[in-house]
Amino acid sequence: RSSQVPADASFSPQGKASSPSSAGSKAETSPSPAAPTSSSGKPSPQGGSVQSSGQGRGRPSTEGSRYTSGLLSLLLRAYAKRQRPPPALCACIPRPSEAAPSMSNDGSLVQTPAWDGYVQRVANPALHARNCDFALSLSKLQRQILVLIQEAKAA
């Protein structure tokens, strides 16, 4: 990605960009790959990988978690069509104790906020236990969900 730091900016030893001519410009509020900063000029709390493409540890849950949430919604829909509760995916995030999602008469999925929260928690690798396989790899979770969707459709 191209940086939006002005050409006359100088870099400090800590990697911060400073521009003498633009005190509150957009260039200072946009983080550069080398030194992410906030509008106050302080380093951002996420560290140096804010501009990552979703592959690194800076933003692992943006694109990957959305995709995983979508897969989980498909899984819930597949099990609801068969009037079965979905399986627990891992032991570190328990399923809600409320009624499993079901299908309405018009074919839409009916689920409680607890199940919606469950989907969001499972899709976020940071919320899994450190020893959980899914905490380190969203791709493992996604493969497991795809297998369960296929099994539900075959049953």
Side-chain angles (χ1 to χ4, degrees):
R1 284 192 165 164
S2 62
S3 175
Q4 295 195 12
V5 176
D8 62 342
S10 62
F11 289 89
S12 69
Q14 292 83 18
K16 291 186 196 176
S18 63
S19 175
S21 62
S22 56
S25 70
K26 182 179 177 184
E28 287 186 28
T29 59
S30 297
S32 69
T37 58
S38 64
S39 60
S40 64
K42 296 180 182 176
S44 68
Q46 288 87 6
S49 59
V50 173
Q51 291 287 339
S52 71
S53 63
Q55 301 294 328
R57 295 295 294 172
R59 275 186 358 187
S61 61
T62 304
E63 294 96 14
S65 286
R66 287 182 185 168
Y67 176 67
T68 307
S69 292
L71 287 178
L72 284 165
S73 294
L74 290 174
L75 178 69
L76 293 180
R77 179 178 297 279
Y79 275 84
K81 281 183 181 178
R82 284 139 190 91
Q83 299 176 350
R84 294 177 18 201
L89 292 166
C90 66
C92 64
I93 300 178
R95 291 184 324 164
S97 58
E98 298 179 8
S102 60
M103 300 300 289
S104 67
N105 291 336
D106 65 352
S108 61
L109 184 67
V110 177
Q111 67 181 16
T112 62
W115 279 97
D116 189 43
Y118 172 75
V119 166
Q120 298 305 315
R121 286 190 309 274
V122 169
N124 186 347
L127 298 178
H128 286 267
R130 283 187 289 170
N131 62 347
C132 180
D133 288 338
F134 304 139
L136 301 175
S137 175
L138 271 180
S139 62
K140 286 184 180 181
L141 176 60
Q142 292 163 356
R143 280 193 300 265
Q144 180 66 26
I145 295 168
L146 287 169
V147 166
L148 290 171
I149 291 171
Q150 291 302 318
E151 288 177 359
K153 288 181 178 180

